[in-house]
Amino acid sequence: MVIPNKQVKSNTDILDNRRTQTRIQVRIPKDLHEEPVISRLVSHYGITVIIADAQVSVNMPQYSCFDLELRGTVSQIESALTYLDELDLEVLHQSSPEEDGW
């Protein structure tokens, strides 16, 4: 009698599917103000985005700054952060998902 192999998820798969959250501050330059950057985080990467604060500085009107809380799986958040990096946006005060996990 042959016993079928059970597929066992690797630790990486389990960690990638764990729900977590992280907080970031992102600066969006004026030339990207018409682009749906934050909306794409939700629609393309499936994460929840909570806007904790948003402002356009009088001293730096070429930027908008957003304090964001990102909630999703580790892999979703990593993909969303890669997207922001590919847009060449400045991301500040990024905490690691492991520090903010819940």
Side-chain angles (χ1 to χ4, degrees), residues 18 21 37-38 66 70 83 85 99:
R18 181 187 61 183
Q21 65 188 26
V37 174
I38 295 173
F66 295 89
L70 309 178
Y83 162 69
D85 186 55
E99 291 173 7

Side-chain angles (χ1 to χ4, degrees), residues 32-64:
L32 289 178
H33 283 182
E34 297 297 319
E35 295 294 319
V37 174
I38 295 173
S39 176
R40 284 189 183 134
L41 293 174
V42 176
S43 63
H44 291 207
Y45 301 98
I47 63 174
T48 300
V49 178
I50 298 170
I51 302 172
D53 190 25
Q55 55 185 269
V56 176
S57 173
V58 175
N59 297 331
M60 297 180 63
Q62 68 269 24
Y63 289 99
S64 292

Side-chain angles (χ1 to χ4, degrees), residues 10-49:
S10 70
N11 285 340
T12 304
D13 290 340
I14 293 169
L15 290 176
D16 284 350
N17 290 321
R18 181 187 61 183
R19 305 271 318 157
T20 190
Q21 65 188 26
T22 191
R23 292 187 66 108
I24 63 170
Q25 183 181 71
V26 63
R27 294 173 117 191
I28 300 178
K30 188 175 185 174
D31 63 326
L32 289 178
H33 283 182
E34 297 297 319
E35 295 294 319
V37 174
I38 295 173
S39 176
R40 284 189 183 134
L41 293 174
V42 176
S43 63
H44 291 207
Y45 301 98
I47 63 174
T48 300
V49 178

